[in-house]
Amino acid sequence: MTKHILLVEPDYYTQYPPIGLLKLSSYEKSLGNTTELIRGCNIPKKRPDRIFVTSLFSWSWRPVWRAVNYYKKKYPSTPIYLGGIYASLMPKHAKLSGADYICKGIVPEAESLMPDYELRPEWDGSIIFSSRGCNRKCGFCAVPRIEGRFNSVKSSIKDFVWPKHTRIIFFDNNFLWNENKFEILNELIELDRSVDFNQGLDARLINEEIAECLGKLKYESSNSIRLAYDTIMEKKAVENAINLFSENNIKKRRILVYALFNYEDTPESFLERVIDILKWGSVCYPMRFEPLRALEKNLYVSENWTKERIEAVQTARRVIGYGGAFPPYQGLIDKFQNASDFDEAFQLREYKGDS
Ligand code: B12
Ligand code: SF4
């Protein structure tokens, strides 16, 4: 018998459609069921037989609880399934929301289906995971815990591009790990739509051949390519990747490099990475570390950092940066490079230390 599935996106802030629910919608429709998507707490058009609530960042758990609570009161005998990132990372906490079932990880059957973009007709970009999981084990990253080892690998993405969409957005954790990357890159060249490797590319995997393919793509934002310079160990790899890109049509100024801080680094080693990136001619985007199971954002301070020093970075991003990032302006390079230490670079001269 046909079942009606209510898909609920809690009303947390997000700039993307709830791609997980859109995939689950396609899956349910392939089983002969019907679906309906609602944001927040609202009355559906049709009484549901099952309710699927998704979740995103762990610190956005409150709207998730609100949604579960609302639909539980409205339909006490309808089972509520809660999945997504927060539910996968913090299943015990998520269970306290009152949901009947907590669903961890991805749903492999849904990963091979085109998301049901009919549910978001105004949206203009195809969001693709050409793979899930990751085989590396960076301690600051939740992906291996949520999605496990590298899996759900695609060899072609053509069938995942919605005809009306003008851009293609990859949510892959590590796009270049895919052994089919050249097939996919060639498809992208043919498709001739703008591309966004949203999660950044792994500098350690970039070589001449890859840089050449990436240089032939169209990019959607002012920053074409994103890389990560998370520890000083990646110095050579990041510099090399930037040089290879610049030899292949991608201007250094259009490369955005994330610099993780407030993790196991020190303010001084963070400053060193900031200076490196700017000297290489690229844009530095400081990325504050958040613990994998943080229930509140922007609270955690690692043992090498202080609240004041973190605040100094955030203020500098707003005041002397541009769009939260540090562009490679000569004035900024001089300021950072001529400073005797982190506090001078980030103007904490009056700051008297950690006590
Ligand atoms: C895209 C993305 C972003 C985007 C925004 C995403 C958005 N939707 O708004 C941007 C680039 C802005 C971003 C920013 C940040 N991000 Co981010 N991001 C991601 C990424 C790659 C995907 C998130 C997403 O939208 N997924 C869509 C999900 C929900 O759909 P799906 O997974 O395809 O759905 C499947 C399953 O989840 C499941 N499912 C989902 N819902 C349901 C429901 C039911 C009922 C069932 C059965 C199943 C189910 O089935 C689906 C089909 O298989 C994840 C990594 C990842 N691989 O998940 C990190 C991730 C969420 N980000 C993370 C972090 C740390 C950040 C930043 C803090 C980084 C920083 N230091 O600045 C910022 C914070 C921004 C903020 N607003 O607070 C962490 C979050 C950890 C946490 N504690 O929550 C993650 C997990 C990455 C990581 N390396 O650890 N991010
Ligand atoms: S940060 Fe990137 S490379 Fe490291 S575990 Fe996460 S997805 Fe993998």
Side-chain angles (χ1 to χ4, degrees):
M1 208 185 69
T2 303
K3 301 242 181 308
H4 187 61
I5 317 292
L6 176 63
L7 307 166
V8 179
E9 179 191 32
D11 60 357
Y12 38 60
Y13 169 78
T14 167
Q15 60 205 88
Y16 298 100
I19 193 69
L21 291 181
L22 302 194
K23 283 185 271 188
L24 292 176
S25 172
S26 297
Y27 179 59
E28 290 299 330
K29 285 180 175 172
S30 77
L31 301 177
N33 295 329
T34 55
T35 65
E36 184 177 348
L37 175 65
I38 283 197
R39 182 160 161 88
C41 305
N42 278 301
I43 299 162
K45 291 192 195 108
K46 203 173 149 195
R47 194 181 175 83
D49 298 298
R50 275 182 210 149
I51 301 172
F52 287 3
V53 181
T54 194
S55 63
L56 192 57
F57 301 110
S58 55
W59 44 89
S60 305
W61 60 275
R62 288 186 181 84
V64 176
W65 280 40
R66 260 200 311 275
V68 170
N69 198 4
Y70 174 86
Y71 292 102
K72 195 81 228 164
K73 279 205 181 114
K74 201 141 195 55
Y75 305 108
S77 56
T78 307
I80 298 189
Y81 297 74
L82 172 56
I85 292 163
Y86 154 68
S88 301
L89 276 174
M90 309 189 69
K92 285 192 187 138
H93 190 273
K95 187 78 178 101
L96 300 175
S97 66
D100 299 288
Y101 302 102
I102 303 299
C103 312
K104 293 199 277 174
I106 60 170
V107 177
E109 301 86 327
E111 286 301 315
S112 55
L113 300 174
M114 166 75 98
D116 187 0
Y117 290 111
E118 297 289 3
L119 295 174
R120 279 290 166 89
E122 77 294 352
W123 178 251
D124 64 345
S126 293
I127 298 177
I128 301 176
F129 277 97
S130 67
S131 63
R132 306 278 334 216
C134 182
N135 289 351
R136 295 202 199 268
K137 291 193 179 77
C138 310
F140 52 83
C141 172
V143 164
R145 286 159 215 251
I146 306 171
E147 300 176 15
R149 291 178 68 76
F150 204 61
N151 68 85
S152 307
V153 182
K154 296 186 171 56
S155 54
S156 162
I157 51 99
K158 269 197 304 223
D159 295 342
F160 295 87
V161 179
W162 191 251
K164 285 185 200 147
H165 288 167
T166 53
R167 54 197 185 114
I168 299 171
I169 303 154
F170 285 98
F171 270 7
D172 286 57
N173 311 303
N174 201 333
F175 177 85
L176 296 176
W177 201 284
N178 188 342
E179 57 181 18
N180 308 312
K181 56 185 167 290
F182 286 112
E183 284 83 339
I184 297 178
L185 287 168
N186 284 325
E187 285 183 339
L188 291 173
I189 296 170
E190 265 174 44
L191 282 162
D192 197 33
R193 286 178 218 201
S194 69
V195 182
D196 174 12
F197 295 103
N198 192 277
Q199 296 299 291
L201 295 167
D202 190 336
R204 295 160 288 192
L205 301 179
I206 287 160
N207 57 29
E208 177 66 52
E209 210 181 347
I210 290 170
E212 198 184 324
C213 288
L214 290 167
K216 291 183 185 154
L217 301 183
K218 284 207 304 212
Y219 295 96
E220 68 170 29
S221 59
S222 52
N223 295 105
S224 316
I225 293 273
R226 302 184 188 90
L227 297 169
Y229 185 11
D230 294 323
T231 71
I232 219 81
M233 314 251 287
E234 287 147 36
K235 193 177 194 127
K236 272 212 173 102
V238 180
E239 185 179 14
N240 181 47
I242 292 175
N243 288 333
L244 285 174
F245 285 144
S246 108
E247 287 159 21
N248 285 281
N249 256 340
I250 301 171
K251 290 197 175 71
K252 292 181 173 183
R253 279 288 271 271
R254 298 196 62 200
I255 301 169
L256 185 136
V257 186
Y258 294 120
L260 184 74
F261 71 103
N262 188 37
Y263 181 53
E264 288 171 352
D265 56 314
T266 62
E268 297 301 333
S269 74
F270 167 68
L271 176 62
E272 185 179 338
R273 282 177 289 135
V274 175
I275 295 173
D276 280 346
I277 296 165
L278 300 187
K279 276 199 328 203
W280 296 331
S282 294
V283 178
C284 170
Y285 191 98
M287 171 90 86
R288 178 178 180 165
F289 169 71
E290 294 292 343
L292 306 190
R293 293 185 178 80
L295 287 170
E296 303 291 337
K297 206 174 163 213
N298 296 336
L299 272 191
Y300 175 77
V301 178
S302 84
E303 61 181 29
N304 296 327
W305 283 79
T306 60
K307 220 171 121 209
E308 289 77 6
R309 287 189 171 120
I310 292 175
E311 200 39 53
V313 175
Q314 305 295 47
T315 307
R317 291 172 62 188
R318 283 192 301 272
V319 179
I320 52 174
Y322 183 81
F326 300 127
Y329 299 148
Q330 195 54 50
L332 266 185
I333 300 177
D334 293 343
K335 174 179 164 49
F336 287 140
Q337 218 172 359
N338 297 337
S340 57
D341 58 14
F342 172 90
D343 289 347
E344 191 182 323
F346 287 88
Q347 289 175 334
L348 280 182
R349 266 286 150 256
E350 297 306 307
Y351 175 65
K352 295 282 189 287
D354 304 349
S355 54

